[in-house]
Amino acid sequence: MNFSVVLVGAGNMGGAMLRGWISNGLAGDAITVIDPSPSEGMKNILLKSKIWHSETAKGVGAPDVLVVAVKPQMMESVLPTLTELVGENTVVVSVAAGTTLETLARHLGDVSAIRVMPNTPSLVLRGMSVGCANKKTSVEQIEHVTILMRAIGRIEWVDDEKLIDAVTAVSGSGPAYAFYLAECMAEAGVKAGLPEGLAMILAKETVSGAGELLSQSADEPAVLRKNVTSPNGTTAAALEILMAEGGMSEQIEKAVMAAKKRSEELS
């Protein structure tokens, strides 16, 4: 990595990014972590990888990329403490839900800034992130952030920041929808007569396996669904319920719209 990074916050998402950077061969001596109370596990990672650690921003110096990964409710209090980390060539990256480009500018001034919405599969390096950069951000700075986010999964870019609310509703909150599907399948399996432990194994492996097949296949989801659905078979019987009026499609749409509305309110 031929650029320097300061990561503010080594919690779940910050820690996931850090582990991804390390596993992808990014040099530890180019990374500084600012966190007043990292976990013992994170302290061991920092020490083993020879990553600089500081409890505050004092004396750290301005990096090429400043990644702010604190919780959304902490942003208003943390951002004002980071002004000395923003140099002429620094791009500021927020990965907190609801933290807009305008919020970054209000606290840090007229800076190059990028808003990124990752999701929790980043914890296993299978994240889906979407970024939006302000007009001051250079092509090189976008490339740097692309490298960092690809270390924990995939990243796409949008020009309109308003789309981030829809992104949050689909991919940001989306893992919870998949987890709930597995939860419901397991509960239904128990009601169908399966032992509880077996029902949970079947549900978890089916959802995760289907996700992996979807990821590796060149086919669209609808094609994969049709491939596994025999006429008048068991899957067809189940899909008659899920695809009926008021069924899964309608409920998912309502869920996404509710999440989008809440994201707009938080922003």
Side-chain angles (χ1 to χ4, degrees):
M1 181 173 64
N2 59 352
F3 56 93
S4 58
V5 181
V6 168
L7 171 66
V8 181
N12 285 343
M13 187 54 65
M17 289 190 293
L18 190 61
R19 286 186 287 271
W21 300 342
I22 294 169
S23 66
N24 276 269
L26 301 184
D29 58 7
I31 304 170
T32 300
V33 170
I34 299 176
D35 193 311
S37 55
S39 66
E40 288 301 316
M42 184 54 61
K43 287 180 181 178
N44 292 333
I45 292 175
L46 297 176
L47 183 62
K48 182 178 179 181
S49 302
K50 298 181 181 179
I51 292 172
W52 296 98
H53 171 245
S54 177
E55 293 184 357
T56 68
K58 292 181 179 180
V60 171
D64 295 309
V65 183
L66 172 60
V67 181
V68 188
V70 300
K71 294 180 179 180
Q73 59 268 32
M74 296 175 59
M75 274 292 187
E76 291 291 331
S77 60
V78 170
L79 286 175
T81 70
L82 305 179
T83 54
E84 65 183 82
L85 295 177
V86 182
E88 183 178 348
N89 299 315
T90 301
V91 59
V92 181
V93 182
S94 165
V95 296
T99 302
T100 64
L101 295 173
E102 189 279 330
T103 299
L104 297 177
R106 176 159 44 88
H107 289 288
L108 301 176
D110 184 23
V111 299
S112 299
I114 294 176
R115 180 181 177 185
V116 176
M117 184 68 233
N119 63 8
T120 54
S122 300
L123 295 170
V124 292
L125 310 185
R126 285 298 308 275
M128 181 66 244
S129 303
V130 176
C132 180
N134 68 6
K135 293 182 180 180
K136 191 171 181 180
T137 306
S138 69
V139 172
E140 183 181 34
Q141 289 172 327
I142 291 175
E143 289 176 350
H144 289 168
V145 175
T146 297
I147 290 171
L148 295 176
M149 300 312 296
R150 280 181 178 168
I152 58 170
R154 178 171 177 170
I155 181 168
E156 296 289 334
W157 292 90
V158 295
D159 295 324
D160 185 355
E161 187 182 3
K162 292 181 181 179
L163 293 177
I164 295 295
D165 293 317
V167 167
T168 301
V170 175
S171 61
S173 300
Y177 313 156
F179 301 150
Y180 186 55
L181 172 61
E183 185 181 347
C184 291
M185 287 174 62
E187 290 176 355
V190 170
K191 291 179 179 179
L194 293 172
E196 184 174 342
L198 178 58
M200 182 58 72
I201 290 172
L202 296 180
K204 289 175 64 176
E205 292 302 314
T206 299
V207 171
S208 62
E212 187 63 28
L213 175 59
L214 183 62
S215 176
Q216 293 189 25
S217 176
D219 293 329
E220 294 297 315
V223 174
L224 295 175
R225 169 178 57 80
K226 291 174 183 177
N227 288 346
V228 77
T229 307
S230 301
N232 299 317
T234 57
T235 306
L239 289 176
E240 279 187 24
I241 303 298
L242 295 177
M243 299 177 72
E245 184 176 353
M248 190 172 186
S249 177
E250 186 174 323
Q251 294 303 312
I252 290 293
E253 181 179 341
K254 288 181 179 179
V256 168
M257 293 306 176
K260 178 176 180 286
K261 181 181 178 181
R262 183 55 180 154
S263 179
E264 292 169 343
E265 293 170 351
L266 291 173
S267 296

